[in-house]
Amino acid sequence: MSPIDYVIHFLLGEGFGGLRPLVGYTSDAAQYGQYRVVIVPSGFFRDGVYGTAASLPALPLPAVEGVPILYGEPRVERVGDTVVVYADVVASAYFLLSRYEEMVRRGVRDVHGRFPGRESVAARGGFIHRPVVDEYGRLLRGWLRQAGVEVNEPPAGIRRVYLTHDVDSLAHYRRLRGVAGALLKRSPEEAWRALRTYFGRLEGDPWYTFPWLLEQDGRIDAARREVLFFVKPGGGGSREDQPHSRVAGRDFGRLFRLLREGGASVGLHASYEAGKRPELVAREKALLERAWGGRITCNRHHYLDTREPEHMQALLDAGIGHDFTLGYADVAGFRLGTCRSVWWIDPVARQMTGLVLHPLTVMDGTLDGGRYMGLDEDTAFGYVAELLLQTARCGGDVCLLWHNTSVAREYHRQLYPKIIDYMVDRLGLGNEGRK
């Protein structure tokens, strides 16, 4: 399937693939009569335009029926029995789903080599908080109805919840450096806790929050949740990868038993170093598979550090079929323009791949602190709740990322269960039944 065909199928939605022959993507007026809806190409895909700075959308963006479009013009007309649309929602969706702008704007990267969310068209255009690709799908189905085609809207509600946790460090006081820090605080209570954890029970460590996380996650309907812990087995030579995780050691063995008993799965947390040197992904995956004792098919990069489009191929080469990296570190929202899982479109090769991208709805560290959004707890909850409502309206998937270390702090220890409560009570995702 070509990327253009895939985008149209994606816009129509799951279960509506039979409508594809009714939708044309052509500027040849002689062909309009063959379709019920025609989307007129904007020129985005033309040779000499595609891949150049001239192909980037210009701000401010026009809107069609209240939805911002990146290409084309907000004009819809009837030509005979055909609805002809000049808003190029195909190119607009392709741009977002493939992360095209990151290919064209390679010089725009932050200190960690990542494309900053605030530099994205979605953020600068004011729609980072909206899954506009899914809104394009609603528009397309509406245009088909205008043309006399009977097509319903997909059911609203959240289809699946991915409750994910990155294990950057399993415990604070299982390392001499952590113990030394506790002793320097001159708090007898904290020093005793550090020494007791270092020489004794792992479960007493402040970062060993895994039982609590499993308890919170377990309140979501078991039929619609997937709990994933991403473990980092590599990257020992990089400061950003410290502390190095000995995934074959006794402590991780105990964690893995706990996760299995709790019905959770493990994915690869490709190291910061692997973000720069993607050839390391296969080696890190093999290390984790030996320690876990099973096949690893999911990945999320440490620091959300997916740098260049070509680096995605390393995941495929290593046997990774699902990636959960695609969210911005500096601003929460819909990086791919959608709240649904999508096959990765390689914008360099302009072809489909076998890698499924699961959009990240929000990461804990994006919300608080001074580096990124800097929201207080109440404002952060309101922001996340709106993202969840947008996802529910579009019948999409939620993907949350909370670290085991972050919930050791009061801010996230209170915020995370509040978000779970909202999904259970307001969105009907609890184990007691669906609303």
Side-chain angles (χ1 to χ4, degrees), residues 103-137:
M103 176 191 75
V104 177
R105 303 180 68 199
R106 292 184 189 267
V108 180
R109 298 291 187 269
D110 69 8
V111 67
H112 299 296
R114 306 170 299 194
F115 186 85
R118 289 189 172 89
E119 282 290 331
S120 68
V121 167
R124 292 185 292 120
F127 62 89
I128 186 69
H129 61 291
R130 294 172 58 179
V132 295
V133 172
D134 301 318
E135 295 182 37
Y136 296 154

mmCIF file of all heavy atoms in Angstrom, residues 103-137:
data_model
loop_
_atom_site.group_PDB
_atom_site.id
_atom_site.type_symbol
_atom_site.label_atom_id
_atom_site.label_comp_id
_atom_site.label_asym_id
_atom_site.label_seq_id
_atom_site.Cartn_x
_atom_site.Cartn_y
_atom_site.Cartn_z
ATOM 1 N N MET A 103 12.253 15.777 9.389
ATOM 2 C CA MET A 103 13.161 15.434 8.299
ATOM 3 C C MET A 103 13.659 16.706 7.601
ATOM 4 O O MET A 103 14.848 16.832 7.283
ATOM 5 C CB MET A 103 12.449 14.532 7.288
ATOM 6 C CG MET A 103 13.285 14.193 6.066
ATOM 7 S SD MET A 103 12.325 13.387 4.743
ATOM 8 C CE MET A 103 11.399 14.784 4.065
ATOM 9 N N VAL A 104 12.761 17.643 7.379
ATOM 10 C CA VAL A 104 13.119 18.852 6.634
ATOM 11 C C VAL A 104 13.909 19.824 7.516
ATOM 12 O O VAL A 104 14.880 20.437 7.063
ATOM 13 C CB VAL A 104 11.848 19.526 6.078
ATOM 14 C CG1 VAL A 104 12.199 20.835 5.371
ATOM 15 C CG2 VAL A 104 11.130 18.588 5.110
ATOM 16 N N ARG A 105 13.537 19.921 8.782
ATOM 17 C CA ARG A 105 14.172 20.902 9.674
ATOM 18 C C ARG A 105 15.211 20.208 10.566
ATOM 19 O O ARG A 105 15.174 20.282 11.795
ATOM 20 C CB ARG A 105 13.115 21.612 10.511
ATOM 21 C CG ARG A 105 12.039 22.318 9.691
ATOM 22 C CD ARG A 105 11.028 22.996 10.593
ATOM 23 N NE ARG A 105 11.626 24.118 11.312
ATOM 24 C CZ ARG A 105 11.089 24.652 12.410
ATOM 25 N NH1 ARG A 105 9.994 24.144 12.936
ATOM 26 N NH2 ARG A 105 11.672 25.675 12.999
ATOM 27 N N ARG A 106 16.165 19.554 9.979
ATOM 28 C CA ARG A 106 17.164 18.793 10.726
ATOM 29 C C ARG A 106 18.061 19.677 11.582
ATOM 30 O O ARG A 106 18.668 19.204 12.545
ATOM 31 C CB ARG A 106 18.022 17.958 9.773
ATOM 32 C CG ARG A 106 17.263 16.815 9.101
ATOM 33 C CD ARG A 106 18.198 15.985 8.251
ATOM 34 N NE ARG A 106 17.499 15.012 7.432
ATOM 35 C CZ ARG A 106 17.253 13.748 7.788
ATOM 36 N NH1 ARG A 106 17.644 13.318 8.971
ATOM 37 N NH2 ARG A 106 16.629 12.929 6.973
ATOM 38 N N GLY A 107 18.150 20.935 11.268
ATOM 39 C CA GLY A 107 18.985 21.828 12.063
ATOM 40 C C GLY A 107 18.321 22.297 13.339
ATOM 41 O O GLY A 107 18.953 22.984 14.147
ATOM 42 N N VAL A 108 17.046 21.951 13.514
ATOM 43 C CA VAL A 108 16.315 22.379 14.710
ATOM 44 C C VAL A 108 16.294 21.214 15.688
ATOM 45 O O VAL A 108 15.514 20.279 15.550
ATOM 46 C CB VAL A 108 14.879 22.813 14.349
ATOM 47 C CG1 VAL A 108 14.131 23.265 15.599
ATOM 48 C CG2 VAL A 108 14.907 23.924 13.308
ATOM 49 N N ARG A 109 17.152 21.236 16.676
ATOM 50 C CA ARG A 109 17.252 20.198 17.691
ATOM 51 C C ARG A 109 17.624 20.849 19.017
ATOM 52 O O ARG A 109 18.295 21.896 19.043
ATOM 53 C CB ARG A 109 18.321 19.146 17.319
ATOM 54 C CG ARG A 109 18.030 18.373 16.028
ATOM 55 C CD ARG A 109 16.842 17.450 16.173
ATOM 56 N NE ARG A 109 16.635 16.576 15.024
ATOM 57 C CZ ARG A 109 15.871 16.865 13.970
ATOM 58 N NH1 ARG A 109 15.270 18.055 13.904
ATOM 59 N NH2 ARG A 109 15.716 15.992 12.991
ATOM 60 N N ASP A 110 17.205 20.229 20.117
ATOM 61 C CA ASP A 110 17.575 20.773 21.424
ATOM 62 C C ASP A 110 18.920 20.206 21.859
ATOM 63 O O ASP A 110 19.607 19.519 21.095
ATOM 64 C CB ASP A 110 16.471 20.522 22.457
ATOM 65 C CG ASP A 110 16.313 19.041 22.821
ATOM 66 O OD1 ASP A 110 17.144 18.209 22.397
ATOM 67 O OD2 ASP A 110 15.352 18.716 23.551
ATOM 68 N N VAL A 111 19.319 20.460 23.093
ATOM 69 C CA VAL A 111 20.630 20.052 23.576
ATOM 70 C C VAL A 111 20.776 18.532 23.579
ATOM 71 O O VAL A 111 21.891 18.010 23.532
ATOM 72 C CB VAL A 111 20.871 20.642 24.988
ATOM 73 C CG1 VAL A 111 19.917 20.012 26.005
ATOM 74 C CG2 VAL A 111 22.311 20.472 25.421
ATOM 75 N N HIS A 112 19.658 17.813 23.590
ATOM 76 C CA HIS A 112 19.701 16.354 23.574
ATOM 77 C C HIS A 112 19.480 15.771 22.178
ATOM 78 O O HIS A 112 19.312 14.566 22.030
ATOM 79 C CB HIS A 112 18.656 15.791 24.532
ATOM 80 C CG HIS A 112 18.869 16.195 25.955
ATOM 81 N ND1 HIS A 112 19.982 15.802 26.673
ATOM 82 C CD2 HIS A 112 18.128 16.973 26.796
ATOM 83 C CE1 HIS A 112 19.917 16.313 27.897
ATOM 84 N NE2 HIS A 112 18.819 17.022 27.986
ATOM 85 N N GLY A 113 19.481 16.626 21.162
ATOM 86 C CA GLY A 113 19.331 16.143 19.799
ATOM 87 C C GLY A 113 17.905 15.894 19.378
ATOM 88 O O GLY A 113 17.650 15.349 18.300
ATOM 89 N N ARG A 114 16.928 16.304 20.199
ATOM 90 C CA ARG A 114 15.520 16.065 19.908
ATOM 91 C C ARG A 114 14.898 17.263 19.197
ATOM 92 O O ARG A 114 15.294 18.408 19.420
ATOM 93 C CB ARG A 114 14.742 15.812 21.206
ATOM 94 C CG ARG A 114 15.304 14.709 22.069
ATOM 95 C CD ARG A 114 14.654 14.670 23.440
ATOM 96 N NE ARG A 114 14.857 15.903 24.187
ATOM 97 C CZ ARG A 114 14.637 16.041 25.482
ATOM 98 N NH1 ARG A 114 14.190 15.004 26.175
ATOM 99 N NH2 ARG A 114 14.843 17.192 26.098
ATOM 100 N N PHE A 115 13.888 17.004 18.384
ATOM 101 C CA PHE A 115 13.121 18.097 17.795
ATOM 102 C C PHE A 115 12.210 18.656 18.887
ATOM 103 O O PHE A 115 11.404 17.926 19.458
ATOM 104 C CB PHE A 115 12.293 17.593 16.621
ATOM 105 C CG PHE A 115 11.587 18.684 15.873
ATOM 106 C CD1 PHE A 115 12.238 19.383 14.872
ATOM 107 C CD2 PHE A 115 10.273 19.026 16.170
ATOM 108 C CE1 PHE A 115 11.597 20.398 14.176
ATOM 109 C CE2 PHE A 115 9.622 20.031 15.481
ATOM 110 C CZ PHE A 115 10.281 20.725 14.485
ATOM 111 N N PRO A 116 12.312 19.958 19.213
ATOM 112 C CA PRO A 116 11.517 20.504 20.317
ATOM 113 C C PRO A 116 10.043 20.627 19.945
ATOM 114 O O PRO A 116 9.691 21.081 18.847
ATOM 115 C CB PRO A 116 12.133 21.898 20.546
ATOM 116 C CG PRO A 116 13.432 21.897 19.782
ATOM 117 C CD PRO A 116 13.233 20.946 18.650
ATOM 118 N N GLY A 117 9.187 20.251 20.877
ATOM 119 C CA GLY A 117 7.759 20.354 20.624
ATOM 120 C C GLY A 117 7.312 21.774 20.361
ATOM 121 O O GLY A 117 6.439 22.015 19.522
ATOM 122 N N ARG A 118 7.908 22.749 21.059
ATOM 123 C CA ARG A 118 7.499 24.143 20.876
ATOM 124 C C ARG A 118 7.874 24.684 19.500
ATOM 125 O O ARG A 118 7.371 25.723 19.087
ATOM 126 C CB ARG A 118 8.106 25.012 21.980
ATOM 127 C CG ARG A 118 7.470 24.775 23.346
ATOM 128 C CD ARG A 118 7.927 25.801 24.371
ATOM 129 N NE ARG A 118 7.197 25.690 25.617
ATOM 130 C CZ ARG A 118 7.551 24.922 26.637
ATOM 131 N NH1 ARG A 118 8.670 24.216 26.551
ATOM 132 N NH2 ARG A 118 6.833 24.865 27.741
ATOM 133 N N GLU A 119 8.764 23.986 18.796
ATOM 134 C CA GLU A 119 9.126 24.385 17.431
ATOM 135 C C GLU A 119 8.200 23.769 16.393
ATOM 136 O O GLU A 119 8.276 24.111 15.214
ATOM 137 C CB GLU A 119 10.564 23.969 17.134
ATOM 138 C CG GLU A 119 11.615 24.868 17.737
ATOM 139 C CD GLU A 119 11.661 26.232 17.053
ATOM 140 O OE1 GLU A 119 11.336 26.311 15.852
ATOM 141 O OE2 GLU A 119 12.015 27.210 17.731
ATOM 142 N N SER A 120 7.353 22.849 16.803
ATOM 143 C CA SER A 120 6.506 22.136 15.846
ATOM 144 C C SER A 120 5.418 23.044 15.293
ATOM 145 O O SER A 120 4.999 24.022 15.928
ATOM 146 C CB SER A 120 5.862 20.920 16.513
ATOM 147 O OG SER A 120 4.914 21.329 17.483
ATOM 148 N N VAL A 121 4.957 22.717 14.112
ATOM 149 C CA VAL A 121 3.830 23.442 13.526
ATOM 150 C C VAL A 121 2.602 23.329 14.422
ATOM 151 O O VAL A 121 1.839 24.281 14.581
ATOM 152 C CB VAL A 121 3.528 22.908 12.110
ATOM 153 C CG1 VAL A 121 2.182 23.399 11.610
ATOM 154 C CG2 VAL A 121 4.627 23.319 11.136
ATOM 155 N N ALA A 122 2.428 22.155 15.049
ATOM 156 C CA ALA A 122 1.264 21.965 15.910
ATOM 157 C C ALA A 122 1.269 22.931 17.082
ATOM 158 O O ALA A 122 0.228 23.497 17.443
ATOM 159 C CB ALA A 122 1.225 20.523 16.409
ATOM 160 N N ALA A 123 2.430 23.137 17.705
ATOM 161 C CA ALA A 123 2.512 24.059 18.833
ATOM 162 C C ALA A 123 2.419 25.503 18.362
ATOM 163 O O ALA A 123 1.674 26.312 18.931
ATOM 164 C CB ALA A 123 3.803 23.830 19.609
ATOM 165 N N ARG A 124 3.166 25.840 17.324
ATOM 166 C CA ARG A 124 3.150 27.222 16.845
ATOM 167 C C ARG A 124 1.800 27.582 16.224
ATOM 168 O O ARG A 124 1.385 28.738 16.249
ATOM 169 C CB ARG A 124 4.273 27.438 15.834
ATOM 170 C CG ARG A 124 5.656 27.358 16.470
ATOM 171 C CD ARG A 124 6.769 27.696 15.497
ATOM 172 N NE ARG A 124 6.915 26.705 14.446
ATOM 173 C CZ ARG A 124 6.785 26.943 13.151
ATOM 174 N NH1 ARG A 124 6.506 28.166 12.718
ATOM 175 N NH2 ARG A 124 6.940 25.976 12.263
ATOM 176 N N GLY A 125 1.107 26.584 15.692
ATOM 177 C CA GLY A 125 -0.213 26.811 15.107
ATOM 178 C C GLY A 125 -1.341 26.724 16.114
ATOM 179 O O GLY A 125 -2.503 26.942 15.766
ATOM 180 N N GLY A 126 -1.002 26.379 17.367
ATOM 181 C CA GLY A 126 -1.998 26.390 18.423
ATOM 182 C C GLY A 126 -2.914 25.189 18.482
ATOM 183 O O GLY A 126 -4.003 25.270 19.067
ATOM 184 N N PHE A 127 -2.480 24.036 17.917
ATOM 185 C CA PHE A 127 -3.360 22.864 17.967
ATOM 186 C C PHE A 127 -2.656 21.618 18.496
ATOM 187 O O PHE A 127 -3.115 20.493 18.269
ATOM 188 C CB PHE A 127 -3.981 22.589 16.591
ATOM 189 C CG PHE A 127 -2.998 22.273 15.491
ATOM 190 C CD1 PHE A 127 -2.594 20.966 15.244
ATOM 191 C CD2 PHE A 127 -2.489 23.277 14.682
ATOM 192 C CE1 PHE A 127 -1.695 20.665 14.226
ATOM 193 C CE2 PHE A 127 -1.599 22.989 13.657
ATOM 194 C CZ PHE A 127 -1.201 21.676 13.431
ATOM 195 N N ILE A 128 -1.596 21.785 19.269
ATOM 196 C CA ILE A 128 -0.877 20.642 19.812
ATOM 197 C C ILE A 128 -1.773 19.806 20.722
ATOM 198 O O ILE A 128 -1.566 18.602 20.891
ATOM 199 C CB ILE A 128 0.386 21.118 20.583
ATOM 200 C CG1 ILE A 128 1.247 19.934 21.035
ATOM 201 C CG2 ILE A 128 0.009 21.975 21.778
ATOM 202 C CD1 ILE A 128 1.929 19.198 19.943
ATOM 203 N N HIS A 129 -2.791 20.427 21.299
ATOM 204 C CA HIS A 129 -3.684 19.744 22.236
ATOM 205 C C HIS A 129 -4.866 19.071 21.527
ATOM 206 O O HIS A 129 -5.744 18.513 22.191
ATOM 207 C CB HIS A 129 -4.234 20.752 23.254
ATOM 208 C CG HIS A 129 -5.035 21.854 22.614
ATOM 209 N ND1 HIS A 129 -4.452 22.817 21.814
ATOM 210 C CD2 HIS A 129 -6.363 22.126 22.631
ATOM 211 C CE1 HIS A 129 -5.392 23.650 21.385
ATOM 212 N NE2 HIS A 129 -6.549 23.243 21.863
ATOM 213 N N ARG A 130 -4.868 19.098 20.183
ATOM 214 C CA ARG A 130 -5.981 18.512 19.421
ATOM 215 C C ARG A 130 -5.461 17.422 18.481
ATOM 216 O O ARG A 130 -4.473 17.642 17.780
ATOM 217 C CB ARG A 130 -6.684 19.579 18.582
ATOM 218 C CG ARG A 130 -7.386 20.633 19.379
ATOM 219 C CD ARG A 130 -7.889 21.777 18.499
ATOM 220 N NE ARG A 130 -8.809 21.347 17.449
ATOM 221 C CZ ARG A 130 -9.383 22.172 16.579
ATOM 222 N NH1 ARG A 130 -9.120 23.479 16.643
ATOM 223 N NH2 ARG A 130 -10.210 21.709 15.659
ATOM 224 N N PRO A 131 -6.131 16.265 18.424
ATOM 225 C CA PRO A 131 -5.746 15.233 17.456
ATOM 226 C C PRO A 131 -6.354 15.550 16.092
ATOM 227 O O PRO A 131 -7.319 14.932 15.648
ATOM 228 C CB PRO A 131 -6.336 13.955 18.069
ATOM 229 C CG PRO A 131 -7.535 14.419 18.828
ATOM 230 C CD PRO A 131 -7.211 15.825 19.317
ATOM 231 N N VAL A 132 -5.765 16.523 15.392
ATOM 232 C CA VAL A 132 -6.410 17.057 14.194
ATOM 233 C C VAL A 132 -6.486 16.034 13.056
ATOM 234 O O VAL A 132 -7.388 16.112 12.220
ATOM 235 C CB VAL A 132 -5.708 18.344 13.695
ATOM 236 C CG1 VAL A 132 -5.855 19.465 14.696
ATOM 237 C CG2 VAL A 132 -4.252 18.103 13.372
ATOM 238 N N VAL A 133 -5.571 15.069 13.034
ATOM 239 C CA VAL A 133 -5.675 14.039 11.991
ATOM 240 C C VAL A 133 -6.976 13.257 12.169
ATOM 241 O O VAL A 133 -7.662 12.927 11.191
ATOM 242 C CB VAL A 133 -4.459 13.099 12.017
ATOM 243 C CG1 VAL A 133 -4.655 11.924 11.066
ATOM 244 C CG2 VAL A 133 -3.191 13.868 11.635
ATOM 245 N N ASP A 134 -7.333 12.958 13.398
ATOM 246 C CA ASP A 134 -8.600 12.281 13.654
ATOM 247 C C ASP A 134 -9.779 13.195 13.322
ATOM 248 O O ASP A 134 -10.839 12.722 12.887
ATOM 249 C CB ASP A 134 -8.652 11.824 15.110
ATOM 250 C CG ASP A 134 -7.510 10.876 15.450
ATOM 251 O OD1 ASP A 134 -7.205 9.997 14.617
ATOM 252 O OD2 ASP A 134 -6.911 11.020 16.523
ATOM 253 N N GLU A 135 -9.603 14.489 13.508
ATOM 254 C CA GLU A 135 -10.633 15.444 13.104
ATOM 255 C C GLU A 135 -10.763 15.495 11.583
ATOM 256 O O GLU A 135 -11.868 15.657 11.055
ATOM 257 C CB GLU A 135 -10.326 16.821 13.677
ATOM 258 C CG GLU A 135 -10.384 16.871 15.199
ATOM 259 C CD GLU A 135 -10.123 18.264 15.758
ATOM 260 O OE1 GLU A 135 -10.559 19.247 15.130
ATOM 261 O OE2 GLU A 135 -9.478 18.373 16.812
ATOM 262 N N TYR A 136 -9.650 15.340 10.858
ATOM 263 C CA TYR A 136 -9.736 15.254 9.399
ATOM 264 C C TYR A 136 -10.595 14.053 8.994
ATOM 265 O O TYR A 136 -11.350 14.110 8.018
ATOM 266 C CB TYR A 136 -8.349 15.102 8.772
ATOM 267 C CG TYR A 136 -7.405 16.265 8.955
ATOM 268 C CD1 TYR A 136 -6.018 16.060 8.939
ATOM 269 C CD2 TYR A 136 -7.871 17.567 9.124
ATOM 270 C CE1 TYR A 136 -5.138 17.112 9.097
ATOM 271 C CE2 TYR A 136 -6.984 18.618 9.287
ATOM 272 C CZ TYR A 136 -5.621 18.388 9.275
ATOM 273 O OH TYR A 136 -4.738 19.432 9.430
ATOM 274 N N GLY A 137 -10.431 12.950 9.727
ATOM 275 C CA GLY A 137 -11.238 11.777 9.433
ATOM 276 C C GLY A 137 -12.720 12.058 9.597
ATOM 277 O O GLY A 137 -13.544 11.624 8.776
#
